[in-house]
Amino acid sequence: NKNLFAGTSLNINLYYQDFKTVYGYSDTFFNGGQSNVFSKKVGARFNFDTQLWNSQNSQGEIIYGADILNDQTVQKLEDGRFWTPNMSMTNIAPFVLAKIDLFKKLTIKGGIRYENIKVKVDDFNTLSVIKNDGTFTKSIPVEGGKLSYNALVGNIGIRYNIEPYINLFASFSQAYSINELGRILRTSTSETIKSLETKPIIVNNYELGATGQLSNWLHYELTSYVSTSKLGATFVQSADRALMIQRSPEIVYGVEGFLHFTPAKWLQFGGSYSWMEGITSPKDDGDYSSRINNSRISAPKVLAYVQGKPIPALSVGFDMLHSFQQDRFSPNAKGVYAYGEGFVPDYTVFNFKSGYEANRNWKISLGIENLLNRQYQPAIAWWAARDSDFINSAGLRGTFMIEYKF
């Protein structure tokens, strides 16, 4: 409703998701097995937008509402053994955001959100998984219960349009997550969830950057960011090579750059570069000399693309992804890497896409992934440092589509 009452619009989004996936076989479980995930999500978002004022040199609006979500998730093996228990999560999160535009130059945004999460966890038994010496961990019965999480998180951002060739922006935002709860529960060493470290992940994000139009045909964007958390969550390998969740303070930082060229109406090309690093203090003693492993810190990447329209009805494009090598850790005395710390070699892959609009109704599209049919492995095949995860990426494959619009 664009005019619910004076100066106020209303948007309501309803959604439902029923999801199931099955993963590959693993011999890390006692007697082996394939894991699956069952998840059902039902939610709604109510979003009000009220115009506070609108004058020649300034505008103000306030956006407010609530997110409501129920998420029921369980992870089991195909033979019926539970890896994580049945979990039912309900979150009712009201929010409010204010936005002010001044002199068509300065934009200021700020808001708060109240997270109110309740989780019901069923009783379960942990799975026996293999250790470094070939034996298996002991299965532990864990008493379930109810968990509650509440937090007030905020965000603020500012953008200053100095000139077309340089616009500066900065922001601070907070993220609140219990996404790692299932992983924490399945590696439990306690017989009751009340004694587990299940605190949520609260991340403070800081961003600073610049964007602009250097000419009619050249656009750029540069961004730097830092994310901090007092209690992050990362999968690591213990001394006996059993996987466990490490909860510790951490800092993640990085930069991204983007260039886009449009030398002619029918031709555009450009590229981007991204780099990130992450450090942590496992003992929470202020020593951040340890790195977050490669399961969360990806290698630097360069993306390049070119797209043309030689005739109005035909578009043709190529893109290239180059992932640099990642050599951030050393193997042990036996030459074996811990989980998440394996050396990752570089690779380059090219893709092709094209489309032809025959008329208003008919369109033909062709896409080809890994155009040169290069044999390479995804990053996880290397950094996981496990034979069972070492697989090749897909070779050359194409998609041909015929579309008809009524």
Side-chain angles (χ1 to χ4, degrees), residues 163-211:
E163 294 290 346
Y165 59 84
I166 182 165
N167 304 311
L168 301 178
F169 58 88
S171 67
F172 166 77
S173 63
Q174 292 180 302
Y176 185 91
S177 172
I178 60 168
N179 290 345
E180 299 296 337
L181 179 60
R183 289 184 173 185
I184 295 170
L185 292 175
R186 75 191 192 192
T187 57
S188 172
T189 57
S190 175
E191 295 182 353
T192 174
I193 64 169
K194 294 181 179 179
S195 58
L196 289 175
E197 182 61 270
T198 63
K199 292 181 180 179
I201 303 170
I202 300 179
V203 180
N204 296 318
N205 300 301
Y206 307 86
E207 186 179 48
L208 179 65
T211 182

Side-chain angles (χ1 to χ4, degrees), residues 364-378:
I364 301 172
S365 301
L366 173 65
I368 302 176
E369 299 177 53
N370 196 356
L371 183 63
L372 303 182
N373 198 29
R374 175 168 182 186
Q375 180 173 303
Y376 70 101
Q377 296 77 35

Side-chain angles (χ1 to χ4, degrees), residues 88-245:
S88 178
M89 183 271 286
T90 300
N91 185 18
I92 302 176
F95 61 87
V96 59
L97 172 71
K99 177 184 177 184
I100 299 174
D101 292 305
L102 299 173
F103 308 107
K104 299 181 181 180
K105 287 280 189 179
L106 181 65
T107 300
I108 303 173
K109 295 180 181 180
I112 56 175
R113 175 185 173 97
Y114 182 71
E115 302 284 358
N116 180 31
I117 301 175
K118 310 292 183 185
V119 184
K120 184 180 181 299
V121 181
D122 287 357
D123 299 342
F124 72 107
N125 294 313
T126 61
L127 280 179
S128 293
V129 295
I130 198 166
K131 297 190 295 185
N132 191 38
D133 60 5
T135 63
F136 287 83
T137 59
K138 181 181 178 181
S139 176
I140 300 174
V142 181
E143 179 185 350
K146 296 181 179 180
L147 301 171
S148 297
Y149 306 96
N150 306 95
L152 183 67
V153 295
N155 66 83
I156 186 169
I158 185 170
R159 182 185 180 99
Y160 185 36
N161 301 324
I162 302 173
E163 294 290 346
Y165 59 84
I166 182 165
N167 304 311
L168 301 178
F169 58 88
S171 67
F172 166 77
S173 63
Q174 292 180 302
Y176 185 91
S177 172
I178 60 168
N179 290 345
E180 299 296 337
L181 179 60
R183 289 184 173 185
I184 295 170
L185 292 175
R186 75 191 192 192
T187 57
S188 172
T189 57
S190 175
E191 295 182 353
T192 174
I193 64 169
K194 294 181 179 179
S195 58
L196 289 175
E197 182 61 270
T198 63
K199 292 181 180 179
I201 303 170
I202 300 179
V203 180
N204 296 318
N205 300 301
Y206 307 86
E207 186 179 48
L208 179 65
T211 182
Q213 195 83 22
L214 296 179
S215 68
N216 292 332
W217 53 273
L218 175 57
H219 173 78
Y220 75 93
E221 183 169 329
L222 297 172
T223 305
S224 61
Y225 61 88
V226 177
S227 299
T228 67
S229 176
K230 294 181 179 179
L231 196 62
T234 302
F235 248 140
V236 297
Q237 204 163 38
S238 62
D240 60 7
R241 297 188 68 77
L243 293 180
M244 56 182 289
I245 290 288

Side-chain angles (χ1 to χ4, degrees), residues 303-318:
L303 174 66
Y305 62 91
V306 58
Q307 186 167 348
K309 297 193 73 171
I311 58 175
L314 176 65
S315 65
V316 180
F318 294 87

